[in-house]
Amino acid sequence: MTQKELTDLNIGQNLDNLANLDPRGYGVCRILYKAAREYTGEPMTMHAAKLLCDTLKEGDLVYLMTGFVLIDNKSAETDGIVSTMLLARALVMAFGVKPVIICQEANMEAVKNLSRVVGLHLYSTFDELFANPVSIAAFAFTKDKEKAESQADELLSHGMPKALIANEFPGENRVGEFHNAVGKNTTPLEAKADILFEKIQAAGVLNIAIGDLGNEIGMGAIGAHLDKYIPYAAKGACSCGCGGGLATRVAADNIITATVSDWGCYGMIAAIAYLLGDMDIMHDAELEKEALCTAAKSGMVDMYGWTIPAIDGFDLQTNMAIVTMMRECIRYAPKLKIKCKTWFDKTLELKFFEENK
């Protein structure tokens, strides 16, 4: 193991740890993390960031799927949409790609308003997306399963993306139904984009899924673990009578789990910024504040249904603090590359990290 490999490992672990901080104290993030970390084999945020850095180049299409609609208010939640728009900003800054947002119709107002916050021009056609710099396109995906395949094919007729990132996007269970966090059926409310994910995955495209419970598309990668340890996940455990549970069917090739999906996405953004040596790629707390406030003003709700700048019940200050700590992790370590070289050398000689992977 080299000094850089050791640093990458530990920066990635720091970012994973922050993404899985458990202020609630009920431990679901720890349950998910154990299986997801084993599935990935290394810190998940750094793993995903390396894959993106190795894959993307200027002009590439990148699909970003996001948006969960909550049953009580029939409104889309802040989790997913906020970090996805900030991710679009980061990917444009880092690689010059062309992000395509695939979301719920209920997210479109927030996409429009957040595009201005993150500095990107929003278009509704692929032609405009390709013709203009610092731009994104956004499309609302159908809730009608019978129309899903034709919409997926129409989107992909404009070109296969080079990467697909699904972030807090609803996924169907083993019997084709969708559920919220407490096992209530939300099928009529959610976009039916599993087929789009699977078509892109089948084409061999790099795919990454981010989730914080197991009802998000891609989390089928740890399905057996979800069934065993996550409430309402197993067959027959949901409350709607479908018999399928909330655990999703589709298994992504690469996953990130977190206490809040947005935090997992922020960890990945921070890792990209670290790998490319450009702190500006990772947004700061002030931009986080503006984005979250804009999402709330656009009608997005937190986990409990309030139209306030919060994510999954965590207030503005908590989210700003997570962003700040992630920025500090990637800012501080590179400064010690030479200053602490002796400590790196001595640590590496004793082979702890090689023997305890």
Side-chain angles (χ1 to χ4, degrees), residues 302-322:
D302 77 344
M303 183 170 64
Y304 303 113
W306 291 86
T307 55
I308 58 175
I311 305 174
D312 278 2
F314 295 110
D315 62 17
L316 188 59
Q317 288 71 29
T318 303
N319 287 284
M320 291 173 69
I322 290 290

Side-chain angles (χ1 to χ4, degrees), residues 65-285:
M65 299 170 61
T66 193
F68 231 108
V69 175
L70 302 187
I71 193 169
D72 291 334
N73 304 95
K74 311 297 188 293
S75 298
E77 65 172 331
T78 50
D79 192 20
I81 185 63
V82 175
S83 64
T84 296
M85 294 301 291
L86 290 162
L87 174 61
R89 167 191 176 272
L91 295 178
V92 172
M93 290 181 67
F95 309 110
V97 300
K98 297 292 185 178
V100 174
I101 308 294
I102 305 295
C103 63
Q104 306 272 10
E105 180 62 43
N107 284 118
M108 291 298 284
E109 181 67 19
V111 170
K112 175 183 175 181
N113 295 331
L114 283 166
S115 65
R116 300 183 180 119
V117 171
V118 302
L120 299 174
H121 298 273
L122 175 64
Y123 296 103
S124 59
T125 69
F126 283 89
D127 288 343
E128 291 171 306
L129 173 66
F130 283 116
N132 295 288
V134 291
S135 60
I136 60 173
F139 302 94
F141 206 83
T142 183
K143 296 179 182 180
D144 185 343
K145 195 166 186 177
E146 292 185 0
K147 297 178 181 178
E149 184 166 15
S150 61
Q151 185 177 6
D153 289 341
E154 196 285 324
L155 287 166
L156 296 177
S157 71
H158 298 276
M160 187 65 67
K162 291 299 174 72
L164 164 64
I165 303 168
N167 178 23
E168 188 67 15
F169 196 92
E172 65 180 24
N173 69 3
R174 65 203 96 203
V175 297
E177 299 292 312
F178 295 74
H179 293 80
N180 69 3
V182 294
K184 293 182 179 180
N185 195 302
T186 63
T187 301
L189 302 175
E190 311 299 355
K192 310 302 187 294
D194 294 70
I195 192 165
L196 176 63
F197 190 101
E198 290 183 300
K199 282 176 178 285
I200 295 172
Q201 184 181 39
V205 172
L206 168 63
N207 58 90
I208 300 164
I210 305 171
D212 58 24
L213 183 65
N215 57 344
E216 307 88 0
I217 196 167
M219 293 299 113
I222 54 172
H225 189 80
L226 299 175
D227 286 352
K228 187 173 182 179
Y229 294 113
I230 297 299
Y232 311 107
K235 291 181 180 179
C238 56
S239 57
C240 72
C242 77
L246 66 74
T248 51
R249 173 185 60 80
V250 173
D253 295 333
N254 304 280
I255 62 174
I256 295 173
T257 61
T259 303
V260 175
S261 292
D262 275 351
W263 296 359
C265 189
Y266 295 159
M268 182 176 69
I269 295 171
I272 293 170
Y274 161 76
L275 290 170
L276 297 182
D278 185 354
M279 280 285 293
D280 290 338
I281 292 169
M282 176 63 181
H283 64 288
D284 62 16

Side-chain angles (χ1 to χ4, degrees), residues 6-17 33 43-47 271 274:
L6 178 60
T7 305
D8 289 358
L9 172 67
N10 286 311
I11 292 295
Q13 194 62 60
N14 289 341
L15 295 172
D16 277 16
N17 290 346
Y33 187 75
M44 296 177 291
T45 50
M46 188 64 71
H47 175 80
Y274 161 76

